[in-house]
Amino acid sequence: MSTFSAADVKRLRDETGAGFMDCKKALTEADGDFDKALDALKVRVQEKAAKRGVEREASNGAVVSKDGAILELKCETDFVAKNEKFLALADELLDVAIANKVTSAEELLQQQLLDGRAVTEGLAALAAVIGEKIAIGGVAVYDGTTTTYLHRRDPGLPPQVGVLIEYAGSDESAARTAAMQIAAMAPLYVSREDIPTEVVDAERKEAEDFARSEGKPEQILPRIVEGRLKKFYAERVLLEQTSVHDDKKTVGQVLEAAGVTVSRFARFVAAEPAGQQA
């Protein structure tokens, strides 16, 4: 007959985040062997988290940032997004990302938490406690001069929109204004030069095909295509967007006047499928 104490059950709960009955069952099946029960329960927790990840969507969460880094941790509901354990894990994951200078969520998943557990294990354990899918939405760590803008959509919730900018120049206020622009207008690229050739070619072909389908004369197609591309740049390129703070200037003109050059940015929104970096 297996023998274990209430202290063993509590310790197992603390280390795995599993429920009381699950911990008791694991210890019973392991004949009181704590390490054996721990290993078995870890497997069960990860299996449940994997199943939850396939069946459910994490469409909420929080964005945290410090020291030139930003991270989005996703969950299913706004109730969990403001949970202390959820936010504590987000902060710890950010520390791990900074310490290891990770470049992607996939890379962060290969790291260890501060207590030695694998990041995947920590995510699974919290998911087991909270009962929701928990996932890293995105992460970026920059080593240059940076500024951050975090936006709260609801005063009762943590920031759910976040932008990290890496820039050169001494006017942090201008750089932060650009971060606010990115948060509001969601550009995909810093400049035209950052756009992959295949993306431009696809836009050009789509514009040309559409113009032909409308019966436009061949001789004016180049002008129509260039007009379509100009509109695309104005919508998707940060430096060519109209500034939300001065609608008589582009963001590029505002930054140039301030002596600021943006090299890259990351934008994460908790309610969107994936963040973006440029």
Side-chain angles (χ1 to χ4, degrees):
M1 182 177 178
S2 61
T3 57
F4 53 86
S5 65
D8 291 327
V9 178
K10 182 180 184 303
R11 181 184 168 200
L12 197 56
R13 291 191 69 186
D14 291 341
E15 293 202 23
T16 64
F20 175 82
M21 293 306 297
D22 287 337
C23 291
K24 187 176 179 180
K25 181 180 179 182
L27 283 165
T28 300
E29 292 176 348
D31 294 325
D33 185 320
F34 182 86
D35 291 334
K36 186 176 178 181
L38 177 61
D39 290 341
L41 203 50
K42 283 181 178 179
V43 172
R44 291 179 193 171
V45 167
Q46 290 175 353
E47 287 176 346
K48 286 183 179 180
K51 183 177 180 181
R52 185 181 293 115
V54 172
E55 296 175 347
R56 288 149 68 170
E57 180 181 357
S59 57
N60 215 295
V63 180
V64 294
S65 180
K66 68 177 179 181
D67 300 336
I70 191 169
L71 178 139
E72 175 196 2
L73 189 62
K74 301 180 79 68
C75 58
E76 296 178 41
T77 65
D78 57 5
F79 179 78
V80 168
K82 59 185 178 182
N83 178 280
E84 289 184 4
K85 290 182 178 179
F86 177 81
L87 294 174
L89 179 60
D91 286 334
E92 184 175 358
L93 288 169
L94 186 63
D95 287 336
V96 171
I98 293 170
N100 294 280
K101 298 185 183 299
V102 303
T103 58
S104 67
E106 291 73 22
E107 187 178 345
L108 181 54
L109 288 171
Q110 306 303 315
Q111 309 302 319
Q112 290 185 325
L113 294 172
L114 304 181
D115 62 6
R117 290 181 300 163
V119 166
T120 52
E121 189 179 332
L123 291 169
L126 182 60
V129 171
I130 290 178
E132 287 194 7
K133 179 179 179 179
I134 307 294
I136 299 170
V139 62
V141 180
Y142 295 163
D143 52 12
T145 302
T146 62
T147 192
T148 305
Y149 173 68
L150 298 178
H151 177 70
R152 294 177 185 266
R153 290 174 160 174
D154 185 312
L157 296 174
Q160 294 189 309
V161 181
V163 174
L164 174 69
I165 279 186
E166 184 179 72
Y167 69 97
S170 59
D171 193 336
E172 183 179 1
S173 177
R176 192 166 187 277
T177 296
M180 295 172 69
Q181 172 90 23
I182 294 167
M185 303 307 293
L188 298 178
Y189 312 97
V190 176
S191 67
R192 290 191 188 190
E193 289 70 28
D194 297 320
I195 306 175
T197 302
E198 58 269 23
V199 172
V200 177
D201 290 344
E203 283 292 323
R204 188 183 300 277
K205 184 177 186 306
E206 183 179 337
E208 188 173 309
D209 290 347
F210 183 74
R212 280 202 174 95
S213 71
E214 290 188 321
K216 302 295 185 184
E218 285 290 323
Q219 63 269 24
I220 67 169
L221 288 183
R223 189 166 72 249
I224 293 174
V225 170
E226 290 309 311
R228 169 77 175 265
L229 283 176
K230 185 176 181 180
K231 182 179 179 182
F232 171 76
Y233 295 143
E235 291 176 349
R236 297 304 182 188
V237 175
L238 173 65
L239 299 182
E240 300 193 30
Q241 287 185 340
T242 299
S243 171
V244 296
H245 295 276
D246 185 347
D247 60 12
K248 293 182 174 58
K249 296 180 180 178
T250 64
V251 175
Q253 290 170 333
V254 172
L255 290 174
E256 184 178 7
V260 170
T261 302
V262 173
S263 54
R264 53 180 172 167
F265 68 80
R267 177 183 182 270
F268 298 127
V269 182
E272 293 182 355
Q276 60 194 60
Q277 299 189 48

